[in-house]
Amino acid sequence: MTSSNPSKPALQFGQIVIGPPGSGKTTYCRGMQEFLSHLGRKVVIVNLDPANEGLPYPCAVDISELVTLDDVMDGLKLGPNGGLIYSMEYLEANMDWLENKLKHHHGYYFLFDCPGQVELYTHHNSVKNIFAQLSKWNFRLTAVHLVDSHYCADPAKFISVLCTSLSTMLHVELPHVNVLSKMDLIEQYGKLAFNLDFYTEVLDLSYLVEHLSSDPFFKKFHHLNVKLAEVIQDYSLVSFVPLNIQDKESMMQVLRTVDKANGYCFGDLEERNLQAMMSAAVGADFQFSTTLSVQEKYMEATGKTVKDEVMDL
């Protein structure tokens, strides 16, 4: 007996790579493509950023074939932000173009390289609607939100990052993985006030708020900072995975987290390739890196207690 309902298309898996400008989205896409290829996973990159020029990776689908930021700015006399918003609205109105392009890559794993304008993921609905349409086409996607790790060195910026990450998670409505990128540069702009797990697990923010109040400029905003910290902790959604794009262990930790979020299952061939790669990298008795080992690798060790370091800061 045949069913009257048309059969759904096969499941497609992938990552939506988002984050503020300069957070390393394009570099992440290139590195993740190479990493997945070594694992034996067929992968393609879809560039959804109309401002991306001179892409460093082979691109299977490029939004510039549909619309470019320069053309929008010149033709409609818009600035960069307005041009990006218009471009996303234009893509939303022409989803048939994207559907036809994606049809040629069935059976592949997708990396969507997205624009860096924060408002697209916290306020505007076009990108959210595009992601929702992809889900209707049976794509199982995880949003990978990249944030510069050096923001951890500035308590005010870190609280802002937490607010942005939370707002993005609630607005985009996809399985979500927040990533602290460029871990090798985490202390480039100053030492951290607390251990790395305080930032990755977003522990008791009252300590961070108190540390912020020691600055005369932020002292007058103490009550506001307390309320922001309460909102973040009441939702209890935000946490981070540390990433150094040049470190195989770090890449594997991110990939495992992403695959767990969207339900991707390893194939036998890919698992064997993974074991061979990791054995070559760190020996046969490989254990996935913990936050502590990441801290030891990228942060300068001191003999001081956390309290002493806070007083120094």
Side-chain angles (χ1 to χ4, degrees), residues 75-142:
L76 300 178
K77 307 304 179 185
L78 294 173
N81 290 345
L84 277 173
I85 290 175
Y86 178 87
S87 297
M88 292 299 101
E89 291 174 345
Y90 190 77
L91 175 60
E92 182 189 4
N94 293 273
M95 287 297 288
D96 54 334
W97 173 86
L98 182 61
E99 183 179 18
N100 290 331
K101 291 288 186 180
L102 297 178
K103 281 181 178 178
H104 298 295
H105 303 285
H106 278 305
Y108 282 78
Y109 188 90
F110 290 84
L111 298 173
F112 292 87
D113 190 359
C114 297
Q117 189 177 357
V118 174
E119 299 94 309
L120 291 172
Y121 313 105
T122 58
H123 299 85
H124 202 258
N125 286 326
S126 287
V127 171
K128 173 184 175 181
N129 295 337
I130 291 169
F131 297 163
Q133 185 60 54
L134 289 171
S135 297
K136 292 178 181 178
W137 294 339
N138 231 17
F139 279 81
R140 295 295 177 264
L141 303 171
T142 296

Side-chain angles (χ1 to χ4, degrees), residues 148-151 153-154 157 185-192:
D148 268 309
S149 60
H150 67 74
Y151 287 138
D154 188 324
K157 290 180 180 178
L185 304 177
I186 187 169
E187 291 191 325
Q188 183 181 23
Y189 297 102
K191 293 189 63 63
L192 303 190

Side-chain angles (χ1 to χ4, degrees), residues 28-288:
Y28 173 87
C29 287
R30 179 184 181 183
M32 184 58 73
Q33 181 193 40
E34 294 175 355
F35 188 75
L36 291 172
S37 297
H38 286 305
L39 291 182
R41 192 181 301 190
K42 297 191 298 182
V43 57
V44 294
I45 300 180
V46 178
N47 175 42
L48 294 184
D49 186 357
N52 254 352
E53 297 179 354
L55 295 171
Y57 50 70
C59 188
V61 181
D62 192 350
I63 193 177
S64 65
E65 297 176 13
L66 177 70
V67 61
T68 66
L69 181 61
D70 288 341
D71 290 343
V72 171
M73 291 173 62
D74 292 341
L76 300 178
K77 307 304 179 185
L78 294 173
N81 290 345
L84 277 173
I85 290 175
Y86 178 87
S87 297
M88 292 299 101
E89 291 174 345
Y90 190 77
L91 175 60
E92 182 189 4
N94 293 273
M95 287 297 288
D96 54 334
W97 173 86
L98 182 61
E99 183 179 18
N100 290 331
K101 291 288 186 180
L102 297 178
K103 281 181 178 178
H104 298 295
H105 303 285
H106 278 305
Y108 282 78
Y109 188 90
F110 290 84
L111 298 173
F112 292 87
D113 190 359
C114 297
Q117 189 177 357
V118 174
E119 299 94 309
L120 291 172
Y121 313 105
T122 58
H123 299 85
H124 202 258
N125 286 326
S126 287
V127 171
K128 173 184 175 181
N129 295 337
I130 291 169
F131 297 163
Q133 185 60 54
L134 289 171
S135 297
K136 292 178 181 178
W137 294 339
N138 231 17
F139 279 81
R140 295 295 177 264
L141 303 171
T142 296
V144 180
H145 184 218
L146 300 180
V147 177
D148 268 309
S149 60
H150 67 74
Y151 287 138
C152 296
D154 188 324
K157 290 180 180 178
F158 185 66
I159 290 178
S160 298
V161 163
L162 292 175
C163 291
T164 302
S165 299
L166 178 59
S167 179
T168 301
M169 294 175 75
L170 297 175
H171 186 73
V172 169
E173 297 180 350
L174 285 175
H176 204 96
V177 175
N178 294 301
V179 174
L180 287 176
S181 63
K182 308 176 187 177
M183 279 301 300
D184 52 323
L185 304 177
I186 187 169
E187 291 191 325
Q188 183 181 23
Y189 297 102
K191 293 189 63 63
L192 303 190
F194 305 98
N195 287 335
L196 184 60
D197 61 345
F198 179 89
Y199 301 92
T200 57
E201 301 302 324
V202 189
L203 301 178
D204 191 348
L205 293 180
S206 62
Y207 294 105
L208 198 65
V209 172
E210 290 301 323
H211 175 53
L212 200 58
S213 298
S214 63
D215 188 322
F217 177 79
F218 291 107
K219 190 172 184 179
K220 59 184 177 181
F221 301 113
H222 176 74
H223 186 65
L224 173 61
N225 291 327
V226 168
K227 293 303 179 183
L228 289 175
E230 288 178 357
V231 169
I232 294 165
Q233 293 190 305
D234 285 346
Y235 276 99
S236 191
L237 290 175
V238 184
S239 62
F240 295 92
V241 181
L243 171 67
N244 174 11
I245 199 70
Q246 298 174 342
D247 186 349
K248 293 179 181 177
E249 299 172 45
S250 178
M251 288 288 285
M252 195 62 243
Q253 184 182 9
V254 171
L255 182 60
R256 289 284 197 188
T257 307
V258 171
D259 285 346
K260 182 179 179 181
N262 64 15
Y264 184 90
C265 294
F266 281 112
D268 292 338
L269 173 62
E270 186 171 310
E271 187 65 38
R272 290 196 298 270
N273 289 343
L274 169 64
Q275 292 173 357
M277 181 186 300
M278 287 306 160
S279 296
V282 292
D285 295 327
F286 169 72
Q287 296 292 333
F288 286 115

